[in-house]
């Protein structure tokens, strides 16, 4: 007998944005007043909606025959999906600029070929083409919540495979403690990388226990298509219980190591962005509260929840880590 148990992230029906509200918002944005109406209404993601009419198409992407992938129904977010044109037009990708509207400039990124290196504490270093790697993996679709440390949120149908599958493929040796993941460095294609005060390449990392958690997901597609470049094609991370800056995009290198990786944001502002960085409404970022979040494209603001609602899967990972439930652990 199938018993439907409510998981932590399946929030009450009453908290889900009513469609009427959402459609009213949208018609206001796409209405005759156009950009002026957007400016007047304010809020996150609505400018994105207005710009979405010009959003680039997703052609020439990696392994298109894999999408749409079969949905794994075990991963539901309990929230309405964010409209594709909102999620693909409001992005953080500093390699292409520091504002949210980098979708056009990200199209300059060459993703075929795309070599991926797997090295460090492994039986044998591997270099493999992204397309080949992705085709070896059990690609499926999962709906995940996504929460940025800037206090905005979205819900996305990602396609990809569990990070633990990549770990298995990599064959770690000598019991490494961490997995470091790095983005490309190509200042000819990514103008943001000409700003040499940033610690390129964008680097993130997970403990091996985090990397092996069932929720840690390598994303290769979104909305039933190959991942668009602005979202981190051909392969990026999704860790839905953590702030979005952990979800490193356009990865070229995975390294298994015993040294805790020094991350991009930690390098820039160690007091603001800690390695562990789990969503926690009780611990404010030094410059803004984390108590609530705005769902992009809707104007709706809802209370934030510990581990973004995924505590059942991940809380045990942190019970023995220095800092307990304190600041160090979360920010
Ligand atoms: N990865 C790289 N390489 N460069 C970045 O600037 N920004 C991070 C993360 N991954 C970033 C990155 C941040 S701050 C967020 S919130 C998410 O990507 C945004 O993902 P999205 O654009 O798909 O919403």
């Amino acid at each position: 007998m199938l018993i439907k148990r409510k998981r932590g992230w399946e929030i009450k029906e009453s908290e889900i944005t009513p469609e009427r509200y959402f459609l009213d918002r949208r018609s206001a944005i796409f209405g005759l007043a156009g950009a002026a109406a957007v400016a007047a209404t304010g809020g996150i993601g609505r400018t994105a909606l207005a710009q979405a009419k010009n959003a680039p198409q997703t052609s020439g992407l990696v392994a298109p025959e894999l999408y749409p992938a079969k949905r794994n129904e075990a991963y539901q977010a309990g929230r309405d999906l964010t409209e594709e044109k909102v999620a693909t037009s409001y992005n953080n990708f500093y390699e292409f600029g520091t504002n949210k509207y980098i979708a056009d400039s990200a199209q300059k990124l060459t993703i075929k070929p795309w070599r991926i290196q797997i090295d460090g504490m492994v039986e044998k270093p591997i270099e493999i083409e992204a397309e080949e790697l992705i085709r070896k993996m059990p690609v499926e679709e999962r709906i995940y919540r996504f929460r940025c440390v800037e206090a905005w949120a979205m819900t996305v149908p990602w396609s990809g495979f569990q990070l633990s599958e990549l770990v298995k493929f990599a064959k770690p040796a000598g019991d490494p403690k961490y997995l470091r993941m790095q983005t490309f460095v190509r200042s000819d294609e990514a103008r943001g990388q000409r700003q040499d005060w940033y610690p390129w390449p964008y680097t993130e990392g997970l403990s091996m226990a985090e990397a092996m958690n069932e929720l840690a997901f390598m994303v290769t597609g979104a909305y039933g298509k190959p991942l668009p470049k602005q979202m981190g094609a051909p392969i990026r991370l999704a860790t839905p219980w953590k702030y979005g800056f952990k979800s490193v995009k356009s990865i070229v290198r995975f390294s298994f190591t015993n040294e805790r990786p020094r991350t991009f944001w930690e390098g820039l502002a160690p007091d603001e962005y800690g390695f562990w960085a789990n969503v926690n409404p009780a611990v404010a970022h030094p410059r803004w509260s984390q108590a609530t979040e705005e769902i992009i494209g809707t104007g709706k603001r809802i209370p934030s929840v510990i581990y973004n609602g995924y505590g059942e899967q991940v809380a045990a990972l942190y019970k023995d880590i220095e800092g307990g439930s304190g600041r160090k652990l979360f920010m």
Side-chain angles (χ1 to χ4, degrees), residues 99-256:
N99 69 42
K100 302 283 184 281
Y101 310 109
I102 50 75
D104 280 336
S105 37
Q107 303 315 305
K108 291 201 188 78
L109 184 64
T110 306
I111 56 168
K112 282 181 178 182
W114 189 272
R115 300 300 287 172
I116 292 179
Q117 247 178 286
I118 303 176
D119 60 15
M121 297 171 69
V122 288
E123 280 180 15
K124 198 167 151 232
I126 299 172
E127 197 182 310
I128 187 168
E129 187 57 31
E131 200 146 38
E132 195 190 335
L133 174 71
I134 294 166
R135 285 186 177 138
K136 286 181 192 295
M137 294 290 146
V139 173
E140 63 179 32
E141 185 178 79
R142 295 182 179 189
I143 299 176
Y144 273 178
R145 296 180 179 186
F146 182 97
R147 168 64 155 78
C148 178
V149 74
E150 296 163 340
W152 55 264
M154 58 182 181
T155 302
V156 179
W158 299 118
S159 306
F161 52 90
Q162 216 163 281
L163 174 53
S164 60
E165 293 289 334
L166 185 137
V167 173
K168 221 192 302 169
F169 174 77
K171 299 201 177 82
D175 205 13
K177 291 195 175 66
Y178 300 99
L179 174 58
R180 186 175 65 223
M181 289 161 267
Q182 289 178 311
T183 299
F184 64 87
V185 179
R186 288 188 210 162
S187 59
D188 52 333
E189 294 184 349
R191 291 181 68 88
Q193 290 189 329
R194 296 182 196 171
Q195 299 181 309
D196 57 11
W197 55 91
Y198 287 108
W200 311 113
Y202 195 101
T203 300
E204 259 303 340
L206 295 173
S207 70
M208 283 309 296
E210 290 174 326
M212 295 303 286
N213 186 272
E214 64 166 296
L215 292 175
F217 200 56
M218 292 317 307
V219 172
T220 60
Y223 295 93
K225 300 172 200 157
L227 195 64
K229 294 181 181 182
Q230 65 272 26
M231 290 187 113
I235 186 164
R236 57 107 40 102
L237 177 69
T239 42
W241 72 99
K242 292 181 164 289
Y243 291 117
F245 62 82
K246 277 270 152 189
S247 314
V248 45
K249 293 179 168 181
S250 303
I251 300 171
V252 294
R253 187 171 177 194
F254 296 86
S255 308
F256 293 82

Side-chain angles (χ1 to χ4, degrees), residues 149 243 245 265-266 268-274 277 284-288 290 327 330-331:
V149 74
Y243 291 117
F245 62 82
W265 289 106
E266 205 181 359
L268 283 167
D271 295 343
E272 298 192 6
Y273 304 97
H285 181 278
R287 287 180 285 129
W288 54 78
Q290 296 295 355
R327 172 182 188 77
F330 294 99
M331 291 301 303

Side-chain angles (χ1 to χ4, degrees), residues 210 242-243 245-246 260 266 269-280 282-284 286 318 321-331:
E210 290 174 326
K242 292 181 164 289
Y243 291 117
F245 62 82
K246 277 270 152 189
R260 186 167 80 66
E266 205 181 359
D271 295 343
E272 298 192 6
Y273 304 97
F275 179 81
W276 299 101
N278 296 312
V279 175
N280 184 354
V283 180
Y318 305 103
I321 292 184
E322 181 215 350
S325 60
R327 172 182 188 77
K328 266 196 185 153
L329 188 52
F330 294 99
M331 291 301 303

Side-chain angles (χ1 to χ4, degrees), residues 12-26:
K12 289 195 290 294
E13 203 68 25
S14 58
E15 293 210 67
I16 296 173
T17 314
E19 190 178 34
R20 182 179 49 76
Y21 178 91
F22 180 75
L23 292 176
D24 283 348
R25 286 285 179 190
R26 195 169 55 166

